[in-house]
């Protein structure tokens, strides 16, 4: 680690050759600065680069036992940067310095700024935080305009708070999250359901399904289309959701929740919360399987127990109308040795195909 020293003991420079020597200068050739680890102790084995302030690299190398870092000038340039692993020096070197006597060189060269890599990293982090805050304030301002207008594609979910705050949004998100967690704990027994009691029911059994063809078209769309959340299939799905189609609203929740949060506006993030609230109110089982599947495993948890519990919830959801889980758990059950469970697995998959013919 290079120790910071006064300018005169930080380096020395010797004028031994013209400015046009090679970029990787050999020992005892060319201009050089001597780096010190401590007063009188040259810094050896320290990689360095010498460049213009604009970033054009002129020389590079590794200091030897004499601590020398070879440098060269650039015509018309006075501002330079010497970099090592841990330090940065900004130097102003007027043209006359390259031609003057060696003993006068240090009086001619001006040390403009010294910094460590740590300093630069902290500055970069500070700048990034400032830029992040500016972007966040812009998003908050955009939310206020959007919430006031309430004319986005999902405006039928209802009005939202006129202004966005992390506290307000966090309370509402955690509120519905806690309700869903408690419901799963209270209603879905730890013993798991008896899969042999499965009864296939059509989507209309669980709620209203107007414009169901729009849901089927959405489910049959290619992945790249569904990721866009735009176009005819998306618009038709939104329209079906507005009419109260529970499967459409569930697919809207899946689509928004599955997107990268950085791609969503603050308004869209609030719409996810509203969709969760509506789906929970209607006890739509697809919400519960998706929710527990997305929950991170806490450090120190028994992974086998966690996954066993998840599979129990997935099976409950399948038996209560989650057609996605019916197909998935049907595969699991078909690998069982109990013939009755194997038949249940087949029945679940047949039920899933009937409800979502475009999906499978």
């Amino acid at each position: 680690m290079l120790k910071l020293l006064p300018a005169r003991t930080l380096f020395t420079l010797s004028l031994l050759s013209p400015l046009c020597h090679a970029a990787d200068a050999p020992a005892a050739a060319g201009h050089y600065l001597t780096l010190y680890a401590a007063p009188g102790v040259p810094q050896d084995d320290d990689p360095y680069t010498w460049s213009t302030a604009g970033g054009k690299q002129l020389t590079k190398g590794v200091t030897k036992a004499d601590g020398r870092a070879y440098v060269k000038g650039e015509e018309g340039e006075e501002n330079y940067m010497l970099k090592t692993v841990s330090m940065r020096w900004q130097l102003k070197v007027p043209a006359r310095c390259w031609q003057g006597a060696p003993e006068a060189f240090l009086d001619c060269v001006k040390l403009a700024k010294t910094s460590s890599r740590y300093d630069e990293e902290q500055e970069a982090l500070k700048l990034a935080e400032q830029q992040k805050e500016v972007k966040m304030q812009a998003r908050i301002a955009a939310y206020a305009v959007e919430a006031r207008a309430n004319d986005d594609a999902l405006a039928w979910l209802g009005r939202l708070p006129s202004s966005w705050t992390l506290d307000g949004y966090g309370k509402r998100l955690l509120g519905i999250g806690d309700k869903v967690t408690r419901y799963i704990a209270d209603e879905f027994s730890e013993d798991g359901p008896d899969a042999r009691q499965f009864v296939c029911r059509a989507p209309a059994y669980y709620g209203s399904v107007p414009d169901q063809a729009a849901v089927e078209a959405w489910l049959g769309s290619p992945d790249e289309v569904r990721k866009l959340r735009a176009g005819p299939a998306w618009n038709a799905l939104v329209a079906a959701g507005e009419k109260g189609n529970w499967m459409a609203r569930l697919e809207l929740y899946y689509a928004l929740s599955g997107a990268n949060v950085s791609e969503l506006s603050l308004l869209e993030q609030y719409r996810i919360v509203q969709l969760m609230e509506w789906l929970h109110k209607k006890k739509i089982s697809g919400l519960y399987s998706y929710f527990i599947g997305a929950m991170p495993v806490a450090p120190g948890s028994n992974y086998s127990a966690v996954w066993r519990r998840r599979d129990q919830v997935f099976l409950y959801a399948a038996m209560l109308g989650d057609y996605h889980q019916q197909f998935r758990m049907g595969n699991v059950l078909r690998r069982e040795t109990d013939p009755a469970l194997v038949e249940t697995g087949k029945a679940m998959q047949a039920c899933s195909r009937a409800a979502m013919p475009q999906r499978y």
Side-chain angles (χ1 to χ4, degrees), residues 28-45:
H31 305 86
Y32 64 84
L33 307 176
T34 301
L35 307 185
Y36 289 90
V41 181
Q43 174 70 51
D44 65 343
D45 199 29

Side-chain angles (χ1 to χ4, degrees), residues 8 13 96-97 99-110:
R8 284 185 175 276
L13 184 146
R96 67 178 184 277
C97 297
Q99 303 301 327
E103 59 270 17
F105 193 83
L106 288 180
D107 291 328
C108 185
V109 172
K110 304 296 182 183

Side-chain angles (χ1 to χ4, degrees), residues 73-126:
E74 176 80 356
E75 185 176 356
E77 182 64 57
E78 290 192 348
N79 299 300
Y80 298 89
M81 177 78 73
L82 176 64
K83 296 183 181 181
T84 64
V85 173
S86 59
M87 297 298 296
R88 310 287 186 267
W89 295 274
Q90 293 181 25
L91 301 166
K92 187 174 183 64
V93 187
R96 67 178 184 277
C97 297
W98 300 101
Q99 303 301 327
E103 59 270 17
F105 193 83
L106 288 180
D107 291 328
C108 185
V109 172
K110 304 296 182 183
L111 182 61
K113 182 180 179 181
T114 303
S115 62
S116 67
R117 173 169 288 185
Y118 174 80
D119 294 331
E120 292 185 349
E121 290 174 349
Q122 292 303 303
E123 284 296 320
L125 288 173
K126 182 179 179 180

Side-chain angles (χ1 to χ4, degrees), residues 16-320:
L16 297 177
S17 70
L19 303 183
C20 58
H21 58 76
D24 293 313
H31 305 86
Y32 64 84
L33 307 176
T34 301
L35 307 185
Y36 289 90
V41 181
Q43 174 70 51
D44 65 343
D45 199 29
D46 199 1
Y48 67 87
T49 60
W50 171 258
S51 61
T52 65
K56 180 181 178 181
Q57 183 174 295
L58 301 176
T59 66
K60 65 178 179 179
V62 178
T63 58
K64 308 304 181 185
D66 56 12
R68 294 178 180 181
Y70 287 90
V71 301
K72 75 171 185 176
E74 176 80 356
E75 185 176 356
E77 182 64 57
E78 290 192 348
N79 299 300
Y80 298 89
M81 177 78 73
L82 176 64
K83 296 183 181 181
T84 64
V85 173
S86 59
M87 297 298 296
R88 310 287 186 267
W89 295 274
Q90 293 181 25
L91 301 166
K92 187 174 183 64
V93 187
R96 67 178 184 277
C97 297
W98 300 101
Q99 303 301 327
E103 59 270 17
F105 193 83
L106 288 180
D107 291 328
C108 185
V109 172
K110 304 296 182 183
L111 182 61
K113 182 180 179 181
T114 303
S115 62
S116 67
R117 173 169 288 185
Y118 174 80
D119 294 331
E120 292 185 349
E121 290 174 349
Q122 292 303 303
E123 284 296 320
L125 288 173
K126 182 179 179 180
L127 179 59
E129 285 298 320
Q130 291 173 342
Q131 293 174 338
K132 183 178 178 181
E133 178 62 22
V134 169
K135 290 179 181 179
M136 189 62 189
Q137 290 304 316
R139 297 182 75 195
I140 291 173
Y143 169 88
V145 174
E146 294 168 345
R148 185 164 53 250
N150 196 46
D151 60 0
D152 62 290
L154 302 182
W156 42 265
L157 283 168
R159 286 197 169 274
L160 290 168
S162 59
S163 61
W164 189 95
T165 65
L166 181 59
D167 183 61
Y169 172 73
K171 283 182 178 179
R172 190 157 175 180
L173 177 61
L174 290 174
I176 183 60
D178 287 344
K179 287 180 181 179
V180 170
T181 301
R182 288 197 300 271
Y183 182 80
I184 292 173
D186 294 343
E187 299 297 324
F188 295 176
S189 168
E190 293 283 352
D191 297 330
D194 182 356
R196 290 166 294 191
Q197 302 301 313
F198 170 73
V199 176
C200 178
R201 294 186 171 92
Y205 176 85
Y206 301 101
S208 178
V209 285
D211 290 355
Q212 185 65 359
V215 177
E216 294 178 3
W218 174 255
L219 292 170
S221 299
D223 288 343
E224 55 269 22
V225 171
R226 297 200 296 167
K227 287 179 180 178
L228 291 176
R229 303 192 308 279
W234 172 260
N235 294 337
L237 183 72
V238 170
E242 182 174 8
K243 293 180 180 179
N245 186 311
W246 70 267
M247 287 187 71
R249 294 194 179 195
L250 181 61
E251 290 300 325
L252 290 170
Y253 168 67
Y254 288 160
L256 289 172
S257 296
N260 189 319
V261 69
S262 63
E263 299 174 359
L264 299 174
S265 68
L266 297 181
L267 187 81
E268 288 175 317
Q269 293 179 42
Y270 244 127
R271 294 303 187 198
I272 293 174
V273 174
Q274 286 182 307
L275 285 167
M276 291 179 66
E277 292 168 344
W278 187 89
L279 293 168
H280 178 57
K281 181 179 179 181
K282 298 296 182 179
K283 300 298 183 287
I284 304 301
S285 60
L287 168 66
Y288 308 120
S289 59
Y290 187 92
F291 184 84
I292 198 167
M295 287 181 64
V297 178
S301 298
N302 183 322
Y303 277 81
S304 61
V306 170
W307 284 105
R308 183 166 61 252
R309 178 57 176 158
R310 285 182 175 178
D311 280 343
Q312 290 170 345
V313 175
F314 293 156
L315 185 56
Y316 269 112
M319 297 183 70
L320 296 174

